[in-house]
Amino acid sequence: MKSGILGAILLIVGIAVGALIGGAAAPPKTVTTTVQQTVTATQQQTVTITAIQTTTQTVTSTTTATLTATVTATATVTAAPQVPASEVELRKAIGSMVGSNFLPRFQSVAIVRDSNLLCTVVAAAAAAALPPYVKAALVDYNATNPKASAEKAAQYQAVFLAFGGGGEPLQVVDKATRDFLAALAETGYRGAVVIRARTWTATKQFATVKNDTRIAPWLNTVQIYVVLPNATHITIARYNATTGALIPVMYIQRTTGKAVKPYTEAEAIFLRTAVGRVAGAVLFQGYGKVAVVTSTDPYCAALSAAAYSTSRANSTAIFTYTGNLEALKAQIQSYAPDAVFIAFGGEEPAYAIIKATDDVVTALRQIDYKGDVLIHAFVLRATAGLTKLSQENIQWLSQKTVKAIAPDLVNRKVNIVKITFADGKPQFDVLQTLPMPDAVANILAKILSS
């Protein structure tokens, strides 16, 4: 019998390499794998037997053989990089502090991120920390089509460029930054651009950006801010494209996550409480029902509580406005006040105060409110004497009795004024003057300077 075994052993070693997610790449690891494989082979053979009778017989036999083979395979595996938790926490803290303290000064913000994990952490933390009155969007950077990303970002008042998480080489961050800014310049964008410290470093303190002919002529048409962390604070500085100088505009304390202010929380509460007492004891006097419309800001809450507790109106109610115009209309109609005191102006930026005030006046106009409108001093300041409200609302207010608290810091006085409009411009007639205590004047000066 002719013997022979037809067998084949095929070993495939498949290795999946994890994609880099940020941070420094871990060193390669060498892995030795021992594989045992059992193979079953089926053999067919034809045997010819010749006998004396010259009879020929054909026999087909099937033989099964089990083979065991040990194969040693050596492969090099690049392990997924390890991102220390401390690095993630650092980026999260930076994003949160910038998002809660600096970015809210803009009415809308586009946060542009690349695929790096640490960049995504910064971007997501910044977006999550924004107050609800800021319109925001996360924009993914498309390296093959920067124009598409820039066109999305250009729809917003500010762009926070969260590039350079820590994993990419500096030259990659530099190129991505310049390509994106060049595309943003091409859209005709005229807003603000906020960049991180590593982007600042990668571009050699913006030297490569200034030397890029696609971008250089555009730099003086936008506001550029740089986020610079150190051991105790985060400094946000305005970049002067002409001189290259950085001018600090905000310091954020890393231990508290709050912007450093020239006044204390206690002083801010004291000032609002003092204004609230003036509102309640003086401005509300002579009214039957006064509705105080305010926000959830703690300083506004302090003002409203003081106004309520000192109110000389027959009845006072506090309504917190959170953006639901229909609910506010229902509350005012149900209460039927003869005066509405608009009391926004805590830590909200001016545009948020303008929007909220315009909303309240719109609600009053739409329900055909017949009473007087009373204005808090910070509302008067943020709205530039109500001139930043919609023309329709200014026209409606010109037909109403409007009174306001108007501090005169120079002369250390507090005036109660009546506001009338001539050709859309406000006119202020002083109805009553009160002395401004030195303690109030000093704190007001600090707050107005911040």
Side-chain angles (χ1 to χ4, degrees):
M1 178 183 296
K2 187 185 292 183
S3 63
I5 300 176
L6 305 176
I9 300 174
L10 180 63
L11 176 65
I12 301 175
V13 179
I15 301 172
V17 180
L20 289 177
I21 57 173
K29 295 183 180 179
T30 300
V31 181
T32 301
T33 306
T34 300
V35 181
Q36 284 193 330
Q37 180 169 329
T38 300
V39 179
T40 300
T42 300
Q43 173 183 300
Q44 287 188 331
Q45 66 178 2
T46 301
V47 181
T48 302
I49 302 174
T50 304
I52 297 175
Q53 297 88 345
T54 65
T55 302
T56 300
Q57 182 179 9
T58 300
V59 180
T60 300
S61 65
T62 301
T63 304
T64 301
T66 300
L67 307 176
T68 301
T70 300
V71 181
T72 300
T74 302
T76 299
V77 179
T78 301
Q82 301 298 313
V83 180
S86 59
E87 293 295 315
V88 175
E89 285 301 316
L90 174 62
R91 282 12 178 243
K92 179 182 175 183
I94 290 173
S96 181
M97 284 185 276
V98 174
S100 60
N101 293 285
F102 183 69
L103 296 182
R105 65 171 54 192
F106 304 105
Q107 194 165 359
S108 61
V109 179
I111 303 173
V112 185
R113 61 181 179 182
D114 59 20
S115 58
N116 186 288
L117 171 66
L118 295 178
C119 293
T120 300
V121 170
V122 173
L130 289 170
Y133 48 77
V134 177
K135 179 184 176 183
L138 286 173
V139 177
D140 291 320
Y141 174 62
N142 185 341
T144 60
N145 188 5
K147 183 179 179 181
S149 304
E151 287 177 344
K152 291 179 183 177
Q155 301 173 41
Y156 294 80
Q157 194 179 70
V159 174
F160 180 30
L161 197 55
F163 286 179
E168 316 95 326
L170 291 179
Q171 60 267 29
V172 173
V173 179
D174 174 47
K175 183 178 186 305
T177 301
R178 288 187 294 108
D179 286 349
F180 176 79
L181 291 179
L184 193 62
E186 191 177 342
T187 69
Y189 184 69
R190 293 294 183 269
V193 178
V194 184
I195 66 169
R196 296 181 50 212
R198 197 162 189 270
T199 305
W200 178 249
T201 301
T203 58
K204 299 179 180 179
Q205 290 72 48
F206 247 39
T208 61
V209 175
K210 288 185 70 174
N211 290 333
D212 193 319
T213 56
R214 300 173 300 170
I215 310 169
W218 170 78
L219 287 178
N220 284 316
T221 69
V222 290
Q223 305 166 49
I224 306 288
Y225 296 95
V226 187
V227 179
L228 300 168
N230 60 36
T232 60
H233 292 82
I234 288 178
T235 301
I236 299 178
R238 175 82 180 266
Y239 171 67
N240 186 315
T242 302
T243 65
L246 290 176
I247 304 168
V249 296
M250 180 179 286
Y251 297 96
I252 304 171
Q253 195 170 36
R254 292 183 64 169
T255 54
T256 64
K258 300 294 184 183
V260 178
K261 298 177 182 137
Y263 57 89
T264 66
E265 297 289 319
E267 288 175 325
I269 293 291
F270 173 75
L271 176 64
R272 269 54 173 219
T273 301
V275 176
R277 289 197 297 267
V278 171
V282 181
L283 196 59
F284 294 2
Q285 189 171 16
Y287 289 105
K289 290 182 178 180
V290 176
V292 179
V293 182
T294 189
S295 71
T296 58
D297 182 278
Y299 297 148
C300 291
L303 182 146
S304 301
Y308 181 90
S309 63
T310 59
S311 177
R312 292 191 180 179
N314 293 335
S315 173
T316 307
I318 298 175
F319 300 136
T320 301
Y321 178 60
T322 58
N324 189 333
L325 206 61
E326 295 304 316
L328 180 63
K329 289 180 187 178
Q331 288 175 320
I332 293 175
Q333 284 181 309
S334 176
Y335 185 59
D338 51 350
V340 171
F341 179 46
I342 302 177
F344 300 120
E347 289 288 87
E348 305 111 322
Y351 67 81
I353 298 173
I354 294 168
K355 173 67 166 58
T357 302
D358 211 38
D359 283 354
V360 174
V361 177
T362 297
L364 298 177
R365 177 172 53 80
Q366 290 179 351
I367 64 174
D368 195 23
Y369 169 71
K370 303 296 185 184
D372 292 356
V373 178
L374 312 179
I375 305 296
H376 167 36
F378 278 44
V379 172
L380 195 66
R381 177 172 178 257
T383 62
L386 304 178
T387 59
K388 293 189 177 182
L389 303 183
S390 69
Q391 289 301 312
E392 194 172 14
N393 283 339
I394 291 175
Q395 176 61 30
W396 182 81
L397 286 171
S398 68
Q399 303 168 25
K400 311 299 294 183
T401 297
V402 181
K403 299 177 185 177
I405 301 172
D408 180 356
L409 183 59
V410 174
N411 296 307
R412 305 252 168 157
K413 296 178 181 179
V414 177
N415 295 320
I416 303 299
V417 299
K418 181 178 179 181
I419 306 174
T420 56
F421 292 87
D423 298 325
K425 297 180 180 179
Q427 308 291 324
F428 302 95
D429 297 319
V430 177
L431 301 178
Q432 189 173 352
T433 297
L434 306 170
M436 181 185 294
D438 287 344
V440 172
N442 293 337
I443 296 171
L444 181 60
K446 291 180 183 179
I447 291 177
L448 294 180
S449 68
S450 64

